[in-house]
Amino acid sequence: MIPKLTQAPRTARPAPTGFDRRLIAPMVLGSVLNPINSSMIAVALVPIGIAFGAPPSQTVWLVSALYLATAVGQPVIGRLVDTYGPRRLYLIGTALVGIAGLMGALAPSLGVLIAARVLLGFGTSAAYPAAMQLTRSEAERTGQDSPAGVLTALAVSAQTVSVIGPTLGGFLIGVGGWRAIFTVNVPLSVACLVLGALRLPITSKGTASTRRDVDPPGMLLFAVMLVSLMIFLTAPRLDHWYLPVLSLAAAVGFGIRELRVPEPFVDLRVLGGNLPLVTTYLRQFLGYTTSYAFLYGYTQWLEEGRGLHAAGAGLVLLPLSVSALAVSSLTGRREAIRAKLLIGSAVQVVGCAGLFLVGSHSPVWLLLAVGAVLGVPQGLLGLAGQNALYRQAEPARIASAAGLLRTFMYLGALAASAATAAFFPHRADTPGLHDLALFMAAGSALLLAITLPDRSLRTLTPKTI
């Protein structure tokens, strides 16, 4: 019989002695909503541009809008998860995903489509911080270090849908047109709502923090700082000088505010004293700048520079999916954080160099090989960053720390989309791809350079609960 959705049965059900594996399905499914919407759009930019008569400089906002919303939403909602518990934020966020899916599927203009992507960004920002908080709370409840398989499942699932997203998006576009990549969010949202309502624990009022812990002024200043900076980076122009000035002013106000309040949104004192965690955020930014630059830039080049259909471009990226999934699955249960970072960044440099070999008449096997090589760092760097954060972050703020990790991931994605727009101002041609490859190689080399001397990675060990 199906248990009723009331608190009594939840309280009556005896808690398992180990990690409650009923939580894994809603955690994983909710956490993949963001990466799948981030990656599917890659193969839809060209057909959407054709449908609305918009050039790449306008359709790039379909990418930037989601990342603007997500970069702000992840740490903000993560703090709310730390304060009020994961269940209610998870359910609200996944409901917004379904609404945004319908909005995008019925969008009559590019502007409405961009608005749907903003809503998707906020809606998909809840599940990952909620999952990390649930993982930490289960570790504290059981008195055991969280099983590596749980963190691996979160990282591998996100990486898997990120790399198969273009292939899946190409398939959906081939079957139902570009609107299908928005429609698919409706059944995913319903599944998350059902699983979340049935399986996520209800946070009692006695265990939730008080409302004064939320720090709305700090959140507002944080949002102004990020949004103004990211809008400027998306389209840097001299007549937009006021945007970085506004961002700097908000950053100063944010710093003053967070250093003075007893319960800040981001505890700058703790963060400033935790240099390894700050370095983890920087590595996240650099790794994903290259990853997303390849995802968006290479995909657009395959369609415009190579002349492939969206479905064909998705199939060419299939080796990227396979190699990333294989590497994640084989290495997931061993943390080996430093080794993964070193190998991943080195292979990323090699893969960027391989892009200089491709051209409009390159054989298909070369196009496939480049994707396969760049799938290896995608399978290593995300795992390493998540495991490093879990070991380095303050347990009481694990959800907001995880949200910040995703923020730096999407700051990298935003930098990648801005670079793509800059190197492909009119169309995705081969010279622009080679310029983009040089940009990617420089970021990957910097990632390797800051990882080699980092001795703190050698001492990361499971925390005592």
Side-chain angles (χ1 to χ4, degrees), residues 126-188:
Y128 180 70
M132 291 295 283
Q133 201 272 351
L134 285 166
T135 302
R136 171 55 64 184
S137 64
E138 280 293 285
E140 293 174 347
R141 180 185 65 79
T142 60
Q144 304 171 2
D145 189 54
S146 293
V150 177
L151 292 175
T152 300
L154 289 175
V156 171
S157 59
Q159 290 167 359
T160 300
V161 299
S162 291
V163 294
I164 70 171
T167 303
L168 175 61
F171 170 77
L172 291 174
I173 291 171
V175 173
W178 61 262
R179 294 184 186 273
I181 69 170
F182 288 89
T183 308
V184 73
N185 285 291
V186 177
L188 289 175

Side-chain angles (χ1 to χ4, degrees), residues 230-427:
M230 291 190 293
I231 290 177
F232 177 76
L233 291 176
T234 301
R237 290 164 45 184
L238 288 177
D239 58 341
H240 289 168
W241 59 268
Y242 58 90
L243 289 172
V245 172
L246 177 61
S247 179
L248 179 60
V252 172
F254 177 72
I256 294 173
R257 164 76 188 181
E258 299 306 277
L259 289 173
R260 289 183 176 179
V261 296
E263 291 291 339
F265 164 49
V266 177
D267 196 332
L268 296 180
R269 295 184 186 90
V270 173
L271 189 62
N274 193 344
L275 184 58
L277 180 58
V278 174
T279 307
T280 293
Y281 288 143
L282 177 58
R283 278 193 289 260
Q284 184 85 344
F285 171 77
L286 292 172
Y288 278 96
T289 296
T290 296
S291 176
Y292 278 104
F294 177 75
L295 179 64
Y296 293 120
Y298 192 58
T299 304
Q300 289 188 67
W301 176 81
L302 286 172
E303 294 182 47
E304 293 188 326
R306 194 65 165 73
L308 299 179
H309 186 268
L315 288 175
V316 169
L317 291 177
L318 192 57
L320 176 80
S321 311
V322 173
S323 64
L325 177 59
V327 169
S328 297
S329 301
L330 291 173
T331 65
R333 290 189 174 273
R334 294 188 61 186
E335 291 194 4
I337 295 172
R338 185 171 186 271
K340 289 178 180 178
L341 289 170
L342 289 175
I343 295 172
S345 54
V347 174
Q348 203 168 63
V349 172
V350 173
C352 293
L355 284 173
F356 289 98
L357 303 177
V358 303
S360 58
H361 300 292
S362 295
V364 173
W365 67 264
L366 179 58
L367 305 181
L368 297 171
V370 170
V373 171
L374 282 167
V376 173
Q378 289 197 20
L380 293 174
L381 297 179
L383 277 171
Q386 179 179 267
N387 286 331
L389 174 124
Y390 186 79
R391 300 302 179 194
Q392 295 165 339
E394 180 187 354
R397 288 177 173 262
I398 188 67
S400 51
L404 274 176
L405 187 72
R406 283 286 180 96
T407 292
F408 278 88
M409 171 181 172
Y410 290 122
L411 282 173
L414 186 71
S417 64
T420 301
F423 293 120
F424 298 152
H426 304 294
R427 65 186 304 273

